[in-house]
Amino acid sequence: MEEKDIKRAGLKITQPRVKILDLLSNSPEHHLSAEDIYKSLLGNGEEIGLATVYRVLTQFEAAGLVNRHHFEGGQAVFELATEEHHDHMVCMKTGKVVEFYDEIIEQRQREIAKLHNFRIKDHSLIIYGEFLAEENPA
């Protein structure tokens, strides 16, 4: 995402918004808490307060630029909003989040909805568990 996305969302382009959007766009981690973003900005020499980070993230969420997730046992995390649907696996030991997409799971959900005469508007699948030590998650 870029500055034009901020403007397209109906928000003014400000330094904090640009810095936070840039961080979310370029972070190797796709799910960041407000505190993660704040610490990263501080580490980069930026003088943006934690309250500003929360305010910008709330504005981005309202504008549809980010999605907020409340994974069990953890604080809220934010990821850039995309058109591509995906689900999540959350490690209950480490809090690590892995995104995945599986067409078989998606198809099965559509079949179950049809069976119950139900129209899916949106859905979210979150699988909680633990990554095994000898395996590396994708």
Side-chain angles (χ1 to χ4, degrees):
M1 289 200 167
E2 303 171 4
E3 286 184 26
K4 65 181 179 193
D5 296 304
I6 295 172
K7 203 168 198 165
R8 195 176 304 128
L11 299 170
K12 291 171 81 175
I13 295 175
T14 65
Q15 186 82 352
R17 288 180 182 147
V18 170
K19 295 290 183 186
I20 291 169
L21 185 63
D22 184 55
L23 181 68
L24 285 166
S25 296
N26 297 309
S27 173
E29 293 294 321
H30 293 239
H31 303 85
L32 298 170
S33 69
E35 290 79 7
D36 293 333
I37 293 168
Y38 172 70
K39 288 176 187 174
S40 184
L41 290 169
L42 279 181
N44 292 338
E46 302 295 335
E47 294 187 17
I48 298 174
L50 183 57
T52 299
V53 172
Y54 274 107
R55 185 172 53 255
V56 168
L57 289 170
T58 300
Q59 292 166 345
F60 281 180
E61 182 184 17
L65 295 174
V66 300
N67 294 322
R68 178 190 309 247
H69 298 285
H70 293 278
F71 297 130
E72 192 172 304
Q75 57 192 342
V77 293
F78 299 84
E79 69 176 333
L80 289 176
T82 65
E83 295 294 319
E84 300 151 6
H85 171 75
H86 61 269
D87 296 305
H88 298 93
M89 289 187 296
V90 179
C91 181
M92 295 174 71
K93 278 187 178 177
T94 65
K96 180 167 181 59
V97 178
V98 173
E99 297 175 355
F100 71 95
Y101 175 82
D102 186 293
E103 182 53 38
I104 294 170
I105 292 173
E106 299 301 318
Q107 179 59 36
R108 188 68 184 121
Q109 291 176 44
R110 290 188 293 270
E111 290 168 1
I112 291 168
K114 186 176 180 180
L115 180 69
H116 294 278
N117 198 29
F118 184 80
R119 182 181 313 134
I120 298 174
K121 297 285 190 175
D122 193 13
H123 80 277
S124 173
L125 174 64
I126 305 168
I127 301 173
Y128 295 96
E130 297 174 359
F131 290 114
L132 304 177
E134 62 271 5
E135 294 184 19
N136 273 329

